Coordinates of all heavy atoms in Angstrom, one line a residue:
L1 N 3.6 -4.8 -44.1 CA 2.6 -4.1 -44.9 C 3.3 -3.2 -45.9 O 4.3 -2.6 -45.6 CB 1.6 -3.3 -44.1 CG 0.6 -4.0 -43.3 CD1 -0.2 -3.1 -42.4 CD2 -0.4 -4.7 -44.3
A2 N 2.8 -3.2 -47.1 CA 3.4 -2.3 -48.2 C 3.5 -0.9 -47.7 O 4.4 -0.1 -48.1 CB 2.7 -2.5 -49.5
S3 N 2.5 -0.5 -46.9 CA 2.4 0.9 -46.5 C 3.4 1.2 -45.4 O 3.7 2.4 -45.1 CB 1.0 1.2 -45.9 OG 0.9 0.4 -44.7
G4 N 4.1 0.2 -44.9 CA 5.0 0.4 -43.8 C 4.4 0.5 -42.4 O 5.1 0.6 -41.4
E5 N 3.1 0.4 -42.3 CA 2.4 0.4 -41.0 C 2.8 -0.8 -40.2 O 3.2 -1.8 -40.8 CB 0.9 0.4 -41.2 CG 0.3 1.7 -41.7 CD -1.2 1.6 -41.7 OE1 -1.9 1.9 -40.7 OE2 -1.8 1.2 -42.8
R6 N 2.7 -0.6 -38.9 CA 3.0 -1.7 -38.0 C 2.0 -2.9 -38.0 O 0.8 -2.7 -38.3 CB 3.0 -1.1 -36.6 CG 3.2 -2.0 -35.4 CD 3.3 -1.2 -34.1 NE 3.3 -2.1 -33.0 CZ 2.3 -2.1 -32.1 NH1 1.3 -1.3 -32.1 NH2 2.4 -3.0 -31.1
L7 N 2.5 -4.1 -37.8 CA 1.7 -5.3 -37.7 C 1.9 -5.9 -36.3 O 3.1 -6.0 -35.9 CB 2.1 -6.3 -38.7 CG 1.7 -6.1 -40.2 CD1 2.4 -7.1 -41.1 CD2 0.2 -6.1 -40.3
E8 N 0.8 -6.2 -35.7 CA 0.9 -6.9 -34.4 C 0.1 -8.2 -34.4 O -1.1 -8.2 -34.6 CB 0.3 -6.0 -33.3 CG 0.4 -6.6 -31.9 CD -0.3 -5.7 -30.8 OE1 -0.5 -4.5 -31.1 OE2 -0.6 -6.3 -29.8
E9 N 0.8 -9.3 -34.2 CA 0.1 -10.6 -34.2 C -0.8 -10.6 -33.0 O -0.4 -10.3 -31.9 CB 1.2 -11.7 -34.1 CG 2.1 -11.7 -35.3 CD 3.4 -12.2 -35.1 OE1 3.9 -12.2 -33.9 OE2 4.1 -12.6 -36.1
V10 N -2.0 -11.0 -33.2 CA -3.0 -11.0 -32.1 C -3.7 -12.4 -31.9 O -4.1 -12.7 -30.8 CB -4.1 -9.9 -32.3 CG1 -5.0 -10.2 -33.5 CG2 -4.9 -9.7 -31.0
A11 N -3.7 -13.2 -33.0 CA -4.3 -14.5 -32.9 C -3.8 -15.4 -34.0 O -3.1 -14.9 -34.9 CB -5.8 -14.4 -33.0
K12 N -4.1 -16.7 -33.9 CA -3.7 -17.6 -34.9 C -4.8 -18.6 -35.2 O -5.8 -18.6 -34.5 CB -2.5 -18.4 -34.4 CG -2.8 -19.3 -33.2 CD -1.5 -20.0 -32.7 CE -1.8 -20.8 -31.5 NZ -0.7 -21.6 -31.0
C13 N -4.6 -19.3 -36.3 CA -5.6 -20.4 -36.6 C -4.8 -21.7 -36.7 O -3.6 -21.7 -36.8 CB -6.3 -20.1 -37.9 SG -5.4 -20.5 -39.4
G14 N -5.5 -22.8 -36.6 CA -4.9 -24.1 -36.6 C -4.1 -24.5 -37.8 O -3.2 -25.4 -37.8
A15 N -4.4 -23.8 -38.9 CA -3.7 -24.2 -40.2 C -2.4 -23.3 -40.4 O -1.9 -23.3 -41.5 CB -4.7 -24.0 -41.4
G16 N -2.0 -22.6 -39.4 CA -0.8 -21.8 -39.5 C -1.0 -20.3 -39.9 O 0.0 -19.6 -40.2
G17 N -2.2 -19.9 -40.0 CA -2.5 -18.5 -40.4 C -2.4 -17.6 -39.2 O -2.5 -18.1 -38.0
T18 N -2.3 -16.3 -39.4 CA -2.1 -15.3 -38.4 C -3.0 -14.2 -38.6 O -3.3 -13.7 -39.7 CB -0.6 -14.8 -38.4 OG1 0.3 -15.9 -38.4 CG2 -0.4 -13.9 -37.2
F19 N -3.6 -13.7 -37.5 CA -4.4 -12.5 -37.5 C -3.6 -11.4 -36.9 O -3.0 -11.5 -35.8 CB -5.7 -12.7 -36.6 CG -6.6 -13.8 -37.1 CD1 -6.4 -15.1 -36.7 CD2 -7.7 -13.5 -37.9 CE1 -7.2 -16.1 -37.2 CE2 -8.5 -14.5 -38.4 CZ -8.3 -15.8 -38.0
F20 N -3.5 -10.3 -37.6 CA -2.7 -9.1 -37.2 C -3.6 -7.9 -37.0 O -4.5 -7.7 -37.8 CB -1.7 -8.7 -38.4 CG -0.7 -9.7 -38.7 CD1 -0.9 -10.6 -39.8 CD2 0.5 -9.8 -38.1 CE1 0.0 -11.6 -40.1 CE2 1.5 -10.7 -38.4 CZ 1.2 -11.6 -39.5
L21 N -3.3 -7.1 -36.0 CA -3.8 -5.7 -35.9 C -2.8 -4.8 -36.7 O -1.6 -5.0 -36.6 CB -3.9 -5.3 -34.4 CG -4.9 -6.0 -33.6 CD1 -4.7 -5.7 -32.1 CD2 -6.3 -5.8 -34.1
C22 N -3.4 -3.9 -37.5 CA -2.6 -3.1 -38.3 C -2.5 -1.6 -37.8 O -3.5 -1.1 -37.4 CB -3.2 -3.1 -39.7 SG -3.3 -4.7 -40.5
G23 N -1.3 -1.1 -37.9 CA -1.2 0.3 -37.6 C -0.9 0.6 -36.1 O -0.6 -0.3 -35.3
E24 N -1.2 1.8 -35.7 CA -1.0 2.2 -34.3 C -2.3 2.3 -33.6 O -3.3 2.6 -34.2 CB -0.3 3.6 -34.2 CG 1.1 3.6 -34.8 CD 2.1 2.7 -34.1 OE1 2.0 2.5 -32.9 OE2 2.9 2.1 -34.8
G25 N -2.4 2.1 -32.3 CA -3.6 2.2 -31.6 C -3.9 1.0 -30.8 O -3.0 0.2 -30.4
G26 N -5.1 0.8 -30.5 CA -5.6 -0.4 -29.7 C -6.4 -1.4 -30.4 O -6.1 -1.6 -31.6
D27 N -7.4 -1.8 -29.8 CA -8.3 -2.9 -30.4 C -9.1 -2.4 -31.5 O -9.7 -3.2 -32.2 CB -9.2 -3.4 -29.3 CG -8.5 -4.1 -28.1 OD1 -7.3 -4.5 -28.3 OD2 -9.1 -4.1 -27.0
E28 N -9.1 -1.1 -31.8 CA -9.9 -0.6 -32.9 C -9.2 -0.7 -34.2 O -9.8 -0.3 -35.3 CB -10.3 0.9 -32.6 CG -9.2 1.9 -32.8 CD -8.1 1.9 -31.7 OE1 -8.2 1.2 -30.7 OE2 -7.1 2.6 -32.0
R29 N -8.0 -1.1 -34.2 CA -7.2 -1.2 -35.5 C -7.7 -2.3 -36.4 O -8.3 -3.3 -36.0 CB -5.7 -1.5 -35.1 CG -5.0 -0.4 -34.4 CD -3.6 -0.8 -34.0 NE -3.7 -1.7 -32.9 CZ -2.6 -2.4 -32.5 NH1 -1.5 -2.4 -33.2 NH2 -2.7 -3.2 -31.5

């Protein structure tokens, strides 16, 4: 992220895309 916040991969899609949780914390990110 341009902000420098943390990225955590949480899921994917069949076409090679990725879902990330951003920043610190839990599922509320």
